Amino acid sequence: MALDHLNLDVPEGAIYALIGANGAGKTTAIKTMVNIHEPDSGRVEISGRGGESKDSRRLRGRDFESIGYVSENQKMPEWMTVDYLLQYLKPFYPAWDDSAAAALVRKFGLPGDRKLSQLSRGMKMKAALASSLAYHPRLLILDEPFSGLDPLVRDEFIEGLIESAEGTTILISSHDLAEIESFASHAGYLERGRMQFSEEMAALSARFREVEVTLGEPSGLPVNWPVEWLQPQTSPAVVRFIDTRFDEGTIGERVRGLFPRMTEISTRAMPLREIFVALAKEERRAA
Amino acid sequence: MNQASHIFAKDLRRLWPQVLVVSGLFILYGMTPPDRGGAGITALMEHGNSLAALVAIACWTLGANLVHEDGMAEESPFWLTRPYNRAGLLTAKVLFLFAFVFLPLVASGVLREARAGVSVTANLGTLIVLDLGVATWLILPALAIGAVSRNLTSFAAGVTSLAFAYYMVGRWFRWSMRTEDLALRSLVPDGPNIAAVLPMILAAIAVTGIQYAARKTRWSQVALTMAVIGSAFMMHLNGVELLSARVVNPPGFDLNRVRISFDETVPPRVAPEVDRTLRGPCPAMALKVDGLPRGMMLRQSQPVQGQADSPLAGIRDIDKATLEQTAEGYREYVCVPGPFTNARETIRLSPNFAVVAVETVATFPARRGSFVAGNAGRCEILVPFPENTQVRCDLEEPLIGSYSAGLEYPGYGVYSASFFPSNGPVRMSPVSLAKFDGVSFDRPGGWPFEEAFVRQDARFVLRTERVVGYLQRDLVYHDFVHPWQYPLLRPIPPPPGRKK
């Protein structure tokens, strides 16, 4: 079972980062959302043109006038030139914006007369993104868009995305957490097909902390170690762990309850990448 | 925006080189003179026509590539997450194949008819109807198999797998029914069998529709395979029915009374032009046929199985032998494979024969012109090209059995091979072209019409043929000698009063 009781609610206007280890079910979840895969049960509601919701299984033709999908796995019409790709797609979208398309081509430095097959991977992804932003979609779904891109191309891609997708709800799955962290407003963590958490980035950053406790004398880990404190590491007089429910007001008291001879406590905010690694390691350990 | 026309234009932009190839092949086909018996345009699908095979392969490749342009079987095709109208997509594909396969097919038929001196306007309706049938085989498989395959390689694998499934059904039938004991080796009759191919046609249409509507690739693949197997079963069951209903107990006489053997008292002879045509030495070996009632004759069904056994050259398989009936009797052109040695060898052949009730419908002089063919209709003898002669007949329909034409004069007689081994009604094309030339491909003895045309006593004979039963015989020739030792076939007797 690739997805198991997955509940994912992407608020309108959000940039939602779907993260998870390889095989966690991110791509399956996304393909189910755009009706490439049909779920055995359950449903995905996608915001339609008029703002109404629609079961993803019923997504057809015109529903995609307001949905964009860019994936590293999607087969592109490689024989088309960039210009012809845009020219070909234009009649499909009533909201197609020629000036936006031209601006995206300029912004991404896309060679209009080159076939997609002759483009680098990064250029191909930019062409796919340009062709999906030119009609100002209400929802843009990006599946591993940065995979295999060099840092410069990645930056250009993100910059173009942020500039051109204002007001668009974006769902993005990626391993490039450092990049995602810079612009995502929400994050969801998928583990073996189940959503472990889904929240705003600010709240996520606020509740994850690396905690370092200095002890007055060497001590082992107590038996009643809290489950929300991950990856405890001990050295003779120092204990480090990751608190997944950090609360500045209570952390001192909770630590002191376990380590009465504690002399000092310090906390450090964690970037998304470290949070992800910590969770992934915990998942592997539990498995 | 008309989405179908937009997709159509995109596909044309992508596939125009292939469209040119297909159109070129159709033009080439249109320029080719009718070279086989039977309805002219349907000769496109005749066995052994290499240009027709090229046309078919080109059309299938074009069709498969066209479908794969917006593939149905890929997991994540580009079009799936774009605002494509699926009905519009299918319409675009069908229109494309109509424009670049069906229309060129009709055009090639028109060109062919015009070059053959046949009235195009009078026969356009029939031509289109016939071509719809031909186009079914040029378009539908490409659409259906293309819709369940991802690329040309998997398309070819699909075609091969389906052909293999069909073949295995035939093998199973032969194994389970021990057809070696029965008269008909090949259980599938040569004639059209619409009921049997109907499952395939319906499945192809359904699969194409389902794939474009809902993309159920696995189910579609299974459905297509089951339909092919079902069609194969129905075709073979039809053959079995022929065997049980008419072969084992044909009305009127006992097939067991028909005795056929090589007549070793008549030495094998060669016709050099025949050997050239059949690509190897194919000596004519006389047959002795007894017990065949008056008004009946033998036809031969393929495939033929046999062996040549020589002490020096070993055992070689014989897979080509052609039966001919002349005024001198039956003879079998047996194509013996090399190597050839001086040793005498034994030839064993197991042909399958159809016993055919023959009825002469009309006779008319063998010369240019238009003639009333008894009550059957009207026939015209044309010489549209210097190298061949055609007999075109407008015949009454429907027909029970089939028509064949023969050229006869005193001491000589040869008959066209085209016939349908079915007792059901067969619709004939009003544009029935039959070519006769000196080295006619399917008449090893050739049609000596040049000789016939200068005679006053030569005539064409129009006959109906109806299969009343099948039989299989094992023929043995004990003292077969080397090809270079054959005497030539007896020359055609000159017309009365003409000097040799």
Side-chain angles (χ1 to χ4, degrees), chain A residues 240-259:
Chain A
R240 285 193 197 87
F241 61 89
I242 293 165
D243 187 358
T244 60
R245 289 183 202 158
F246 178 73
D247 179 350
E248 196 156 12
T250 61
I251 185 71
E253 188 183 333
R254 293 182 70 199
V255 170
R256 198 175 301 280
L258 288 174
F259 301 102

Side-chain angles (χ1 to χ4, degrees), chain B residues 183-266:
Chain B
L184 190 65
R185 277 281 163 80
S186 171
L187 285 168
V188 179
D190 297 338
N193 190 343
I194 299 299
V197 297
L198 209 55
M200 275 196 283
I201 292 174
L202 292 177
I205 293 170
V207 159
T208 305
I210 288 168
Q211 279 297 83
Y212 275 86
R215 292 207 324 139
K216 301 284 183 192
T217 302
R218 284 270 174 260
W219 283 106
S220 295
Q221 287 169 337
V222 170
L224 216 47
T225 307
M226 295 309 292
V228 168
I229 291 173
S231 276
F233 263 95
M234 287 179 68
M235 281 193 187
H236 286 82
L237 280 172
N238 186 272
V240 173
E241 188 189 355
L242 278 176
L243 280 170
S244 58
R246 292 198 298 270
V247 177
V248 180
N249 297 302
F253 75 100
D254 181 5
L255 280 175
N256 291 324
R257 282 165 45 197
V258 179
R259 290 178 299 283
I260 306 170
S261 60
F262 282 126
D263 186 353
E264 296 194 32
T265 62
V266 180

Side-chain angles (χ1 to χ4, degrees), chain A residues 31 36-38 60-61 64-65 69 74-75 77 79-80 84-85 88-89 91-93 131-132 135, chain B residues 1 3 6-7 9-10 13-14 69-70 74-78 80-84 86 213-216:
Chain A
K31 285 184 172 174
I36 291 173
H37 286 168
E38 194 173 307
R60 287 287 188 279
F64 286 97
E65 286 176 1
Y69 172 69
Q74 190 161 42
K75 190 182 171 189
W79 62 274
M80 290 186 185
Y84 183 67
L85 172 70
Y88 173 65
L89 288 174
F92 287 91
Y93 297 97
S131 74
S132 295
Y135 52 91
Chain B
M1 180 199 68
Q3 208 175 91
H6 187 59
I7 297 168
K10 180 266 291 181
R13 184 182 172 119
R14 167 66 168 157
E69 260 303 292
D70 304 285
E74 283 167 29
E75 184 184 275
S76 181
F78 171 74
L80 192 61
T81 52
R82 300 285 178 173
Y84 272 61
R86 294 187 182 206
R215 292 207 324 139
K216 301 284 183 192

Side-chain angles (χ1 to χ4, degrees), chain B residues 3 34 67 72 79 104 135 160 187 196 202 242 261 268 331 368 372:
Chain B
Q3 208 175 91
V67 174
M72 288 293 134
W79 65 268
T160 309
L187 285 168
L202 292 177
L242 278 176
S261 60
R331 55 193 177 207
R368 290 179 202 222
V372 174

Side-chain angles (χ1 to χ4, degrees), chain A residues 17 19 177 180-181 187 201 204 270-277:
Chain A
I19 57 178
L177 306 173
I180 282 186
E181 190 171 20
M201 282 295 290
L204 183 67
M270 296 173 70
L272 186 59
R273 185 182 175 284
E274 285 183 20
I275 295 173
F276 170 79
V277 169

Side-chain angles (χ1 to χ4, degrees), chain A residues 34 96 203 235 278:
Chain A
V34 290
W96 187 271
S235 57

